């Protein structure tokens, strides 16, 4: 099965947040949508980074509550591994297991 088959069932909506948005806004958006990660994107099309619940919790442990007023791009993962709609799910699952992450944005022709 390919990624595009899964997206037909799941849908192609991607939750994004601006790099300069406060981390508190990311927390609220994650909770409101019931999701575990947001793609960080200045234009809603290109992937600038990704921020997950795990990123936020780890940063809170080190920096405390002041973290919530900081911009998302201070703790986001900037070098994001992406996939294409034509990639196989087996390949994607292997990459995610080997690299130890749970979220992989789908990009086609440079667009999320």
């Amino acid at each position: 099965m390919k990624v595009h088959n899964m997206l037909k069932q799941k849908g192609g909506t991607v939750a994004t947040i601006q790099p300069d948005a406060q981390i508190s806004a990311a927390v609220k958006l994650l909770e409101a949508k019931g999701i575990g990660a947001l793609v960080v994107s200045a234009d809603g099309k290109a992937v600038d980074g990704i921020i997950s619940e795990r990123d936020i919790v780890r940063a809170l442990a080190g920096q405390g509550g002041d973290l919530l007023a900081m911009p998302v791009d201070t703790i986001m993962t900037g070098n994001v591994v992406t996939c294409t709609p034509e990639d196989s799910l087996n390949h994607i699952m292997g990459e995610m297991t080997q690299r130890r992450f749970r979220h992989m944005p789908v990009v086609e022709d440079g667009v999320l």
Side-chain angles (χ1 to χ4, degrees):
M1 183 187 264
K2 300 215 181 241
V3 171
H4 67 84
N5 299 112
M6 182 185 66
L7 291 177
K8 283 181 186 176
Q9 297 171 354
K10 183 180 178 191
T13 303
V14 179
T16 64
I17 193 162
Q18 297 274 323
D20 60 351
Q22 288 187 339
I23 293 169
S24 62
V27 170
K28 289 176 186 173
L29 191 54
L30 289 167
E31 194 281 325
K33 294 192 173 285
I35 56 177
L38 297 165
V39 172
V40 181
S41 177
D43 63 6
K45 296 178 184 177
V47 177
D48 300 323
I50 194 165
I51 185 168
S52 70
E53 294 169 319
R54 182 179 290 178
D55 296 328
I56 295 167
V57 168
R58 286 182 175 164
L60 275 170
Q63 299 178 20
D66 292 340
L67 173 80
L68 296 174
M70 297 172 68
V72 166
D73 64 1
T74 60
I75 67 166
M76 73 180 189
T77 299
N79 190 14
V80 180
V81 177
T82 63
C83 64
T84 72
E86 292 303 315
D87 286 330
S88 76
L89 292 182
N90 284 338
H91 171 74
I92 300 305
M93 290 177 359
E95 284 289 309
M96 293 172 81
T97 299
Q98 181 182 27
R99 295 175 184 245
R100 303 181 56 84
F101 58 78
R102 295 177 40 216
H103 306 93
M104 184 184 289
V106 181
V107 176
E108 186 171 33
D109 298 324
V111 178
L112 185 61

XYZ file of all heavy atoms in Angstrom:
821
model
N 0.846 -1.173 0.000
C 0.000 0.000 0.000
C 0.899 1.247 0.000
O 1.943 1.261 0.620
C -0.923 0.005 1.221
C -1.872 1.191 1.212
S -2.852 1.367 2.721
C -4.335 0.564 2.234
N 0.427 2.256 -0.659
C 1.180 3.509 -0.759
C 0.539 4.584 0.119
O -0.622 4.478 0.516
C 1.236 3.977 -2.201
C 1.908 2.957 -3.104
C 2.679 3.624 -4.166
C 3.312 2.552 -5.044
N 4.715 2.607 -5.049
N 1.323 5.624 0.385
C 0.863 6.730 1.231
C -0.412 7.349 0.668
O -1.348 7.644 1.412
C 1.973 7.796 1.398
C 1.454 9.038 2.077
C 3.156 7.215 2.174
N -0.487 7.519 -0.649
C -1.686 8.165 -1.227
C -2.949 7.356 -0.969
O -4.036 7.931 -0.820
C -1.504 8.493 -2.714
C -1.407 7.310 -3.619
N -2.501 6.653 -4.105
C -0.323 6.683 -4.125
C -2.114 5.667 -4.888
N -0.787 5.662 -4.907
N -2.833 6.028 -0.860
C -3.997 5.200 -0.526
C -4.486 5.486 0.892
O -5.689 5.571 1.142
C -3.674 3.713 -0.660
C -3.282 3.320 -2.055
O -2.132 2.967 -2.288
N -4.207 3.381 -2.989
N -3.536 5.615 1.812
C -3.889 5.913 3.197
C -4.516 7.305 3.303
O -5.486 7.505 4.029
C -2.660 5.834 4.094
C -2.974 6.086 5.557
S -1.507 6.144 6.594
C -0.715 7.605 5.971
N -3.977 8.263 2.553
C -4.510 9.628 2.616
C -5.931 9.714 2.068
O -6.702 10.564 2.497
C -3.588 10.596 1.873
C -2.236 10.849 2.530
C -1.392 11.769 1.665
C -2.392 11.411 3.924
N -6.283 8.837 1.128
C -7.658 8.806 0.613
C -8.629 8.446 1.734
O -9.740 8.950 1.793
C -7.786 7.800 -0.526
C -7.222 8.294 -1.826
C -7.403 7.242 -2.908
C -6.710 7.671 -4.183
N -6.773 6.638 -5.220
N -8.198 7.548 2.625
C -9.038 7.123 3.739
C -9.000 8.123 4.886
O -10.022 8.448 5.473
C -8.592 5.759 4.258
C -8.734 4.654 3.255
C -8.075 3.364 3.716
O -7.417 3.309 4.738
N -8.248 2.311 2.929
N -7.813 8.592 5.204
C -7.612 9.452 6.372
C -7.921 10.915 6.087
O -8.360 11.653 6.955
C -6.157 9.307 6.849
C -5.855 10.089 8.090
C -4.420 9.902 8.509
C -4.174 10.767 9.731
N -2.811 10.893 10.101
N -7.641 11.350 4.873
C -7.795 12.755 4.515
C -6.443 13.438 4.464
O -5.471 12.967 5.044
N -6.386 14.549 3.768
C -5.125 15.232 3.553
C -4.937 16.501 4.354
O -4.007 17.257 4.104
N -5.798 16.731 5.333
C -5.677 17.937 6.141
C -4.467 17.828 7.064
O -4.273 16.809 7.724
C -6.946 18.149 6.993
O -8.074 18.207 6.118
C -6.865 19.437 7.781
N -3.669 18.893 7.083
C -2.477 18.925 7.930
C -2.558 20.149 8.831
O -2.803 21.262 8.355
C -1.191 18.999 7.077
C 0.043 19.050 7.962
C -1.120 17.840 6.111
N -2.367 19.949 10.116
C -2.369 21.059 11.068
C -0.994 21.709 11.062
O 0.016 21.027 11.219
C -2.730 20.570 12.460
N -0.975 23.016 10.870
C 0.287 23.758 10.842
C 0.255 24.896 11.851
O -0.817 25.292 12.331
C 0.565 24.345 9.443
O -0.446 25.306 9.120
C 0.622 23.266 8.382
N 1.448 25.410 12.124
C 1.582 26.566 13.000
C 2.753 27.396 12.487
O 3.715 26.852 11.933
C 1.775 26.145 14.482
C 1.601 27.348 15.403
C 3.090 25.418 14.688
C 1.342 26.980 16.857
N 2.669 28.693 12.673
C 3.726 29.612 12.251
C 4.951 29.443 13.155
O 4.807 29.207 14.359
C 3.236 31.058 12.345
C 2.083 31.393 11.430
C 2.563 31.803 10.058
O 3.578 32.460 9.901
N 1.803 31.409 9.051
N 6.156 29.622 12.606
C 7.366 29.484 13.419
C 7.456 30.485 14.565
O 8.050 30.183 15.601
C 8.514 29.716 12.430
C 7.919 29.623 11.084
C 6.460 29.865 11.209
N 6.856 31.650 14.395
C 6.938 32.681 15.428
C 5.776 32.644 16.417
O 5.711 33.453 17.338
C 7.063 34.072 14.806
C 5.884 34.438 13.916
O 5.037 33.566 13.627
O 5.812 35.605 13.495
N 4.870 31.676 16.257
C 3.764 31.525 17.213
C 4.324 31.075 18.559
O 5.342 30.385 18.624
C 2.756 30.507 16.702
N 3.655 31.462 19.633
C 4.100 31.036 20.959
C 3.847 29.539 21.156
O 2.882 28.979 20.628
C 3.381 31.818 22.049
C 3.817 33.255 22.156
C 3.191 33.952 23.360
O 2.165 33.525 23.890
N 3.825 35.027 23.787
N 4.692 28.932 21.932
C 4.546 27.510 22.236
C 3.202 27.254 22.927
O 2.577 26.214 22.706
C 5.747 26.994 23.044
C 7.001 27.044 22.158
C 5.504 25.591 23.577
C 8.309 26.808 22.860
N 2.720 28.200 23.705
C 1.401 28.037 24.334
C 0.310 27.879 23.272
O -0.642 27.114 23.471
C 1.086 29.209 25.258
O 1.033 30.420 24.531
N 0.434 28.562 22.145
C -0.536 28.416 21.051
C -0.453 27.016 20.445
O -1.480 26.422 20.089
C -0.300 29.473 19.981
N 0.751 26.484 20.347
C 0.925 25.123 19.844
C 0.257 24.121 20.781
O -0.419 23.189 20.332
C 2.408 24.798 19.677
N 0.444 24.315 22.081
C -0.171 23.421 23.075
C -1.689 23.440 22.927
O -2.340 22.387 22.898
C 0.255 23.825 24.505
C -0.559 23.072 25.547
C 1.741 23.582 24.712
N -2.264 24.613 22.804
C -3.721 24.744 22.660
C -4.215 24.085 21.381
O -5.251 23.417 21.374
C -4.120 26.211 22.692
C -3.969 26.834 24.061
C -4.275 28.316 24.033
C -3.971 28.936 25.397
N -4.095 30.397 25.376
N -3.481 24.256 20.287
C -3.879 23.670 19.015
C -3.775 22.146 19.042
O -4.668 21.445 18.551
C -3.019 24.253 17.893
C -3.417 23.970 16.460
C -4.865 24.371 16.176
C -2.481 24.710 15.504
N -2.709 21.625 19.635
C -2.568 20.173 19.768
C -3.736 19.593 20.561
O -4.315 18.575 20.180
C -1.245 19.821 20.455
C 0.032 20.043 19.643
C 1.256 19.949 20.549
C 0.131 19.049 18.502
N -4.101 20.242 21.642
C -5.202 19.757 22.480
C -6.534 19.873 21.749
O -7.334 18.936 21.749
C -5.237 20.544 23.798
C -6.115 19.925 24.870
C -7.592 20.209 24.680
O -7.954 21.302 24.209
O -8.405 19.317 25.002
N -6.771 20.999 21.115
C -8.050 21.224 20.433
C -8.280 20.220 19.298
O -9.409 19.774 19.074
C -8.105 22.648 19.880
N -7.215 19.864 18.599
C -7.343 18.950 17.465
C -7.136 17.484 17.856
O -7.372 16.592 17.040
C -6.368 19.345 16.360
C -6.706 20.693 15.735
C -5.918 20.930 14.484
C -6.372 22.181 13.771
N -7.643 22.022 13.081
N -6.677 17.258 19.098
C -6.452 15.890 19.550
C -5.361 15.188 18.766
O -5.484 14.008 18.440
N -4.286 15.926 18.482
C -3.189 15.389 17.694
C -1.879 15.481 18.473
O -1.820 16.139 19.512
C -3.054 16.111 16.335
C -2.892 17.626 16.539
C -4.261 15.797 15.458
C -2.668 18.409 15.257
N -0.832 14.863 17.960
C 0.431 14.804 18.673
C 1.540 15.665 18.107
O 2.600 15.769 18.711
N 1.314 16.276 16.928
C 2.368 17.090 16.326
C 1.767 18.099 15.362
O 0.663 17.896 14.829
C 3.374 16.216 15.589
N 2.507 19.172 15.150
C 2.141 20.213 14.192
C 3.304 20.434 13.242
O 4.459 20.477 13.673
C 1.859 21.540 14.909
C 0.698 21.572 15.894
C 0.784 22.815 16.774
C -0.615 21.533 15.132
N 2.991 20.602 11.976
C 4.023 21.002 11.026
C 4.209 22.505 11.197
O 3.246 23.267 11.247
C 3.621 20.663 9.578
C 4.616 21.258 8.587
C 3.518 19.154 9.392
N 5.451 22.924 11.315
C 5.770 24.345 11.430
C 6.001 24.856 10.013
O 6.840 24.321 9.275
C 7.017 24.577 12.313
C 7.309 26.060 12.430
C 6.812 23.950 13.692
N 5.218 25.878 9.639
C 5.283 26.386 8.271
C 4.918 27.860 8.247
O 3.849 28.247 8.723
C 4.320 25.599 7.375
O 4.322 26.117 6.063
N 5.782 28.657 7.673
C 5.516 30.093 7.563
C 4.420 30.379 6.544
O 3.654 31.335 6.706
C 6.795 30.841 7.191
N 4.318 29.543 5.507
C 3.356 29.810 4.444
C 2.253 28.760 4.317
O 1.386 28.860 3.455
C 4.075 29.965 3.105
C 4.802 28.706 2.650
O 4.663 27.648 3.305
O 5.509 28.785 1.628
N 2.268 27.750 5.165
C 1.256 26.704 5.101
C 1.499 25.683 4.000
O 0.688 24.786 3.804
N 2.597 25.829 3.270
C 2.905 24.917 2.169
C 4.248 24.215 2.344
O 4.353 23.023 2.122
C 2.904 25.682 0.846
C 1.547 26.250 0.491
C 1.616 27.042 -0.796
C 0.260 27.674 -1.081
N 0.298 28.502 -2.271
N 5.268 24.961 2.717
C 6.609 24.399 2.895
C 6.779 23.941 4.340
O 6.239 24.550 5.264
C 7.669 25.441 2.550
N 7.537 22.876 4.525
C 7.806 22.365 5.866
C 9.068 23.043 6.396
O 10.163 22.811 5.911
C 7.992 20.828 5.858
C 8.343 20.325 7.248
C 6.746 20.141 5.320
N 8.881 23.907 7.403
C 10.016 24.568 8.054
C 10.506 23.768 9.258
O 11.657 23.905 9.666
C 9.629 25.977 8.517
C 9.194 26.867 7.369
O 9.779 26.760 6.274
O 8.260 27.672 7.563
N 9.625 22.962 9.818
C 9.967 22.173 10.988
C 8.756 21.386 11.448
O 7.713 21.361 10.791
N 8.899 20.752 12.597
C 7.799 20.020 13.218
C 7.969 20.141 14.728
O 9.089 20.210 15.233
C 7.761 18.546 12.753
C 6.440 17.871 13.128
C 8.951 17.771 13.264
C 6.188 16.564 12.388
N 6.854 20.244 15.419
C 6.880 20.307 16.883
C 5.868 19.290 17.407
O 4.725 19.239 16.947
C 6.603 21.725 17.414
C 6.768 21.780 18.933
C 5.263 22.253 16.962
C 6.788 23.183 19.510
N 6.320 18.477 18.344
C 5.465 17.428 18.884
C 5.239 17.645 20.379
O 5.940 18.422 21.023
C 6.106 16.055 18.658
O 7.248 15.908 19.472
N 4.280 16.899 20.903
C 4.040 16.922 22.347
C 5.325 16.569 23.092
O 5.647 17.184 24.108
C 2.955 15.904 22.718
C 1.592 16.228 22.171
C 0.627 15.073 22.333
O 1.034 13.902 22.124
O -0.537 15.345 22.675
N 6.049 15.608 22.594
C 7.287 15.174 23.228
C 8.313 16.304 23.263
O 8.987 16.500 24.269
C 7.864 13.969 22.490
C 9.127 13.433 23.126
C 9.639 12.232 22.383
N 8.739 11.112 22.600
C 8.882 9.921 22.053
N 9.890 9.692 21.236
N 8.041 8.955 22.313
N 8.433 17.058 22.176
C 9.349 18.206 22.141
C 8.995 19.204 23.245
O 9.876 19.723 23.933
C 9.276 18.939 20.798
C 9.742 18.103 19.618
O 10.644 17.264 19.804
O 9.193 18.302 18.518
N 7.715 19.451 23.397
C 7.255 20.441 24.378
C 7.517 19.953 25.798
O 8.030 20.703 26.640
C 5.765 20.777 24.150
C 5.600 21.471 22.791
C 5.227 21.652 25.287
C 4.165 21.569 22.306
N 7.200 18.708 26.073
C 7.407 18.164 27.422
C 8.887 18.175 27.792
O 9.256 18.572 28.907
C 6.805 16.741 27.542
C 7.253 16.065 28.818
C 5.292 16.811 27.474
N 9.726 17.761 26.875
C 11.168 17.753 27.156
C 11.690 19.168 27.402
O 12.516 19.387 28.298
C 11.928 17.107 26.008
C 11.745 15.615 25.987
C 12.530 14.971 24.878
N 12.417 13.517 24.974
C 12.724 12.694 24.012
N 13.181 13.151 22.868
N 12.585 11.407 24.173
N 11.233 20.131 26.613
C 11.676 21.512 26.798
C 11.137 22.085 28.109
O 11.839 22.828 28.804
C 11.240 22.373 25.614
N 9.914 21.742 28.481
C 9.350 22.190 29.761
C 10.172 21.663 30.930
O 10.401 22.383 31.906
C 7.902 21.720 29.908
C 6.831 22.578 29.281
C 5.488 21.850 29.302
C 6.721 23.922 29.962
N 10.613 20.424 30.825
C 11.411 19.839 31.902
C 12.704 20.610 32.105
O 13.169 20.765 33.234
C 11.715 18.373 31.596
N 13.262 21.112 31.046
C 14.527 21.833 31.144
C 14.390 23.320 31.396
O 15.245 23.929 32.036
N 13.305 23.926 30.908
C 13.191 25.384 30.957
C 12.046 25.900 31.813
O 11.958 27.090 32.068
C 13.057 25.929 29.533
C 14.269 25.604 28.689
C 14.127 26.095 27.259
O 13.329 26.964 26.970
N 14.918 25.542 26.371
N 11.140 25.034 32.187
C 10.026 25.463 33.022
C 8.950 26.197 32.236
O 8.976 26.268 31.015
N 8.016 26.770 32.985
C 6.838 27.411 32.422
C 7.117 28.596 31.524
O 6.278 28.948 30.693
N 8.271 29.227 31.668
C 8.620 30.359 30.797
C 8.677 29.940 29.334
O 8.545 30.774 28.440
C 9.970 30.969 31.198
C 9.915 31.651 32.553
O 8.795 31.991 33.009
O 10.982 31.837 33.157
N 8.868 28.658 29.102
C 8.929 28.130 27.743
C 7.680 28.476 26.943
O 7.753 28.739 25.747
C 9.090 26.605 27.797
C 9.010 25.898 26.451
C 10.345 26.018 25.727
C 8.620 24.453 26.628
N 6.528 28.488 27.590
C 5.258 28.670 26.883
C 5.154 29.999 26.150
O 4.393 30.116 25.191
C 4.095 28.492 27.851
C 3.971 27.088 28.444
C 2.885 27.053 29.503
C 3.714 26.058 27.360
N 5.907 30.992 26.562
C 5.880 32.300 25.896
C 6.892 32.396 24.753
O 6.897 33.378 24.011
C 6.141 33.408 26.910
N 7.722 31.388 24.598
C 8.757 31.404 23.567
C 8.172 31.000 22.215
O 7.141 30.324 22.149
C 9.894 30.453 23.954
C 10.605 30.873 25.228
S 11.785 29.631 25.821
C 13.016 29.730 24.534
N 8.827 31.387 21.108
C 8.336 30.985 19.791
C 8.589 29.507 19.501
O 9.562 28.918 19.981
C 9.116 31.871 18.815
C 10.264 32.410 19.565
C 9.944 32.318 21.026
N 7.710 28.942 18.721
C 7.770 27.531 18.344
C 9.124 27.165 17.742
O 9.669 26.105 18.027
C 6.626 27.214 17.344
C 6.827 25.893 16.657
C 5.277 27.267 18.054
N 9.697 28.052 16.938
C 10.939 27.690 16.247
C 12.143 27.539 17.173
O 13.186 27.061 16.749
C 11.244 28.628 15.085
C 11.516 30.064 15.485
O 11.504 30.392 16.693
O 11.724 30.886 14.573
N 11.992 27.887 18.446
C 13.109 27.700 19.379
C 13.273 26.244 19.797
O 14.361 25.843 20.207
C 12.974 28.575 20.645
O 11.764 28.236 21.315
C 12.996 30.048 20.304
N 12.202 25.444 19.691
C 12.306 24.035 20.094
C 11.899 23.055 19.003
O 12.002 21.846 19.199
C 11.511 23.731 21.384
C 10.012 23.871 21.166
C 12.008 24.583 22.535
C 9.173 23.269 22.282
N 11.447 23.556 17.863
C 11.004 22.645 16.797
C 12.175 21.836 16.255
O 13.340 22.234 16.363
C 10.364 23.427 15.650
C 11.350 24.193 14.815
S 10.532 25.079 13.475
C 11.968 25.626 12.535
N 11.867 20.709 15.658
C 12.849 19.951 14.906
C 12.896 20.576 13.522
O 11.865 20.665 12.837
C 12.443 18.463 14.814
O 12.369 17.933 16.132
C 13.417 17.673 13.977
N 14.064 21.029 13.117
C 14.175 21.754 11.864
C 14.482 20.889 10.648
O 14.074 21.194 9.544
N 15.181 19.807 10.849
C 15.546 18.935 9.742
C 14.536 17.794 9.684
O 14.779 16.711 10.219
C 16.972 18.415 9.927
C 17.485 17.700 8.714
O 16.916 17.784 7.637
N 18.571 16.970 8.882
N 13.417 18.041 9.038
C 12.290 17.102 9.060
C 12.413 16.082 7.932
O 12.633 16.443 6.775
C 10.956 17.861 8.927
C 9.775 16.902 8.951
C 10.823 18.896 10.027
N 12.244 14.831 8.293
C 12.195 13.763 7.299
C 10.770 13.724 6.767
O 9.809 13.676 7.540
C 12.572 12.403 7.923
C 12.450 11.285 6.901
C 13.968 12.456 8.511
N 10.629 13.779 5.446
C 9.310 13.760 4.815
C 9.199 12.554 3.892
O 10.188 11.867 3.619
C 9.064 15.051 4.008
O 10.023 15.135 2.953
C 9.148 16.285 4.890
N 7.988 12.335 3.427
C 7.761 11.285 2.445
C 6.925 11.856 1.312
O 6.491 13.013 1.375
C 7.066 10.083 3.086
S 5.404 10.412 3.704
N 6.693 11.054 0.291
C 5.857 11.464 -0.833
C 4.624 10.568 -0.889
O 4.622 9.485 -0.290
C 6.606 11.354 -2.175
O 6.758 9.971 -2.496
C 7.953 12.055 -2.121
N 3.603 10.976 -1.626
C 2.416 10.129 -1.754
C 2.706 8.765 -2.390
O 1.966 7.809 -2.176
C 1.480 10.943 -2.649
C 1.914 12.354 -2.469
C 3.400 12.290 -2.255
N 3.788 8.669 -3.134
C 4.126 7.421 -3.818
C 4.950 6.458 -2.973
O 5.169 5.316 -3.379
C 4.858 7.720 -5.130
C 3.968 8.388 -6.155
C 2.716 7.576 -6.490
O 2.814 6.346 -6.686
O 1.622 8.175 -6.532
N 5.424 6.894 -1.814
C 6.197 6.007 -0.944
C 5.314 4.893 -0.402
O 4.119 5.098 -0.155
C 6.811 6.787 0.223
C 7.985 7.654 -0.200
O 8.689 7.293 -1.156
O 8.191 8.704 0.436
N 5.916 3.729 -0.190
C 5.156 2.613 0.369
C 5.058 2.767 1.888
O 5.976 3.298 2.529
C 5.815 1.273 0.026
O 6.951 1.058 0.830
N 3.965 2.301 2.439
C 3.780 2.366 3.889
C 4.813 1.513 4.609
O 5.281 1.890 5.683
C 2.366 1.946 4.279
C 1.253 2.899 3.844
C -0.100 2.380 4.330
C 1.491 4.301 4.354
N 5.209 0.401 4.026
C 6.247 -0.435 4.649
C 7.553 0.331 4.760
O 8.235 0.254 5.785
C 6.453 -1.730 3.866
C 5.355 -2.733 4.117
O 4.661 -2.679 5.128
N 5.172 -3.651 3.182
N 7.916 1.061 3.718
C 9.143 1.869 3.753
C 9.035 2.950 4.826
O 9.972 3.147 5.615
C 9.399 2.505 2.387
C 10.507 3.503 2.394
N 11.829 3.141 2.476
C 10.484 4.858 2.362
C 12.577 4.226 2.488
N 11.782 5.282 2.416
N 7.895 3.633 4.880
C 7.677 4.705 5.854
C 7.752 4.147 7.275
O 8.395 4.730 8.151
C 6.306 5.392 5.632
C 6.213 6.001 4.252
C 6.022 6.425 6.711
C 7.292 6.966 3.905
N 7.104 3.029 7.515
C 7.126 2.425 8.846
C 8.545 2.056 9.255
O 8.934 2.247 10.407
C 6.200 1.207 8.893
C 4.745 1.598 8.816
S 3.493 0.267 8.768
C 4.359 -1.241 8.801
N 9.320 1.552 8.316
C 10.705 1.215 8.610
C 11.526 2.445 8.966
O 12.313 2.428 9.919
N 11.346 3.517 8.206
C 12.059 4.774 8.482
C 11.692 5.320 9.866
O 12.562 5.757 10.623
C 11.722 5.832 7.423
C 12.402 5.628 6.104
C 13.890 5.902 6.168
O 14.298 6.965 6.662
O 14.650 5.027 5.718
N 10.420 5.303 10.168
C 9.956 5.849 11.443
C 10.481 5.014 12.614
O 10.870 5.569 13.643
C 8.431 5.944 11.454
C 7.913 6.964 10.456
S 6.121 6.945 10.259
C 5.641 7.902 11.680
N 10.519 3.708 12.438
C 11.037 2.838 13.491
C 12.538 3.040 13.670
O 13.026 3.218 14.790
C 10.739 1.357 13.159
O 9.323 1.195 13.070
C 11.310 0.437 14.215
N 13.259 3.053 12.569
C 14.717 3.192 12.630
C 15.125 4.550 13.191
O 16.037 4.638 14.006
C 15.311 3.003 11.239
C 16.820 3.116 11.210
C 17.370 2.963 9.804
O 16.701 3.247 8.819
N 18.601 2.497 9.722
N 14.454 5.610 12.790
C 14.829 6.963 13.210
C 14.145 7.386 14.516
O 14.407 8.463 15.021
C 14.515 7.954 12.101
C 15.352 7.715 10.858
C 14.907 8.654 9.767
N 15.582 8.429 8.530
C 16.401 9.297 7.955
N 16.635 10.457 8.519
N 16.966 9.008 6.811
N 13.218 6.555 14.985
C 12.555 6.760 16.269
C 11.727 8.044 16.341
O 11.886 8.855 17.237
C 13.566 6.682 17.411
C 14.313 5.358 17.427
C 15.307 5.206 18.540
N 14.746 5.398 19.866
C 14.120 4.470 20.587
N 13.953 3.280 20.097
N 13.680 4.739 21.792
N 10.829 8.218 15.363
C 9.856 9.301 15.425
C 8.504 8.785 14.965
O 8.416 7.718 14.352
C 10.294 10.544 14.637
C 10.567 10.319 13.176
C 9.529 10.208 12.266
C 11.866 10.247 12.701
C 9.775 10.015 10.920
C 12.126 10.049 11.357
C 11.075 9.935 10.465
N 7.452 9.549 15.291
C 6.089 9.080 15.043
C 5.334 9.865 13.991
O 4.202 9.512 13.651
C 5.295 9.131 16.351
C 5.801 8.186 17.405
C 5.028 8.305 18.716
N 3.607 8.484 18.530
C 2.842 9.237 19.305
N 3.364 9.883 20.315
N 1.559 9.354 19.078
N 5.899 10.954 13.499
C 5.175 11.812 12.561
C 6.057 12.112 11.351
O 7.215 12.500 11.520
C 4.771 13.119 13.240
C 3.997 12.892 14.500
N 4.596 12.835 15.746
C 2.681 12.673 14.706
C 3.666 12.614 16.662
N 2.506 12.497 16.057
N 5.490 11.939 10.151
C 6.236 12.203 8.929
C 5.322 12.933 7.938
O 4.384 12.350 7.403
C 6.750 10.901 8.309
C 7.624 11.135 7.085
S 8.182 9.626 6.247
C 9.363 8.979 7.409
N 5.594 14.211 7.711
C 4.779 14.964 6.760
C 4.919 14.424 5.330
O 5.981 13.941 4.935
C 5.334 16.388 6.841
C 6.065 16.451 8.137
C 6.573 15.063 8.391
N 3.836 14.529 4.591
C 3.813 14.119 3.191
C 3.987 15.376 2.340
O 3.241 16.346 2.496
C 2.490 13.408 2.839
C 2.489 12.970 1.372
C 2.255 12.225 3.762
N 4.984 15.348 1.445
C 5.293 16.493 0.604
C 5.332 16.042 -0.842
O 5.911 14.998 -1.165
C 6.646 17.121 1.011
C 7.038 18.252 0.078
C 6.594 17.605 2.451
N 4.726 16.843 -1.701
C 4.763 16.558 -3.133
C 5.148 17.826 -3.862
O 4.503 18.873 -3.695
C 3.399 16.061 -3.615
C 3.388 15.607 -5.061
C 2.091 14.928 -5.443
O 1.028 15.300 -4.908
O 2.147 14.026 -6.283
N 6.205 17.768 -4.637
C 6.724 18.921 -5.378
C 6.993 20.103 -4.447
O 6.688 21.253 -4.765
C 5.775 19.337 -6.495
C 5.598 18.234 -7.545
O 6.581 17.526 -7.827
O 4.477 18.079 -8.068
N 7.520 19.811 -3.263
C 7.876 20.848 -2.301
C 6.709 21.431 -1.523
O 6.886 22.371 -0.747
N 5.505 20.894 -1.727
C 4.310 21.420 -1.060
C 3.732 20.375 -0.115
O 3.569 19.203 -0.486
C 3.245 21.843 -2.105
C 1.978 22.341 -1.419
C 3.796 22.899 -3.033
N 3.419 20.801 1.077
C 2.832 19.955 2.104
C 1.488 19.420 1.661
O 0.682 20.113 1.075
C 2.672 20.787 3.379
C 2.194 20.122 4.643
C 3.172 19.033 5.067
C 2.055 21.152 5.733
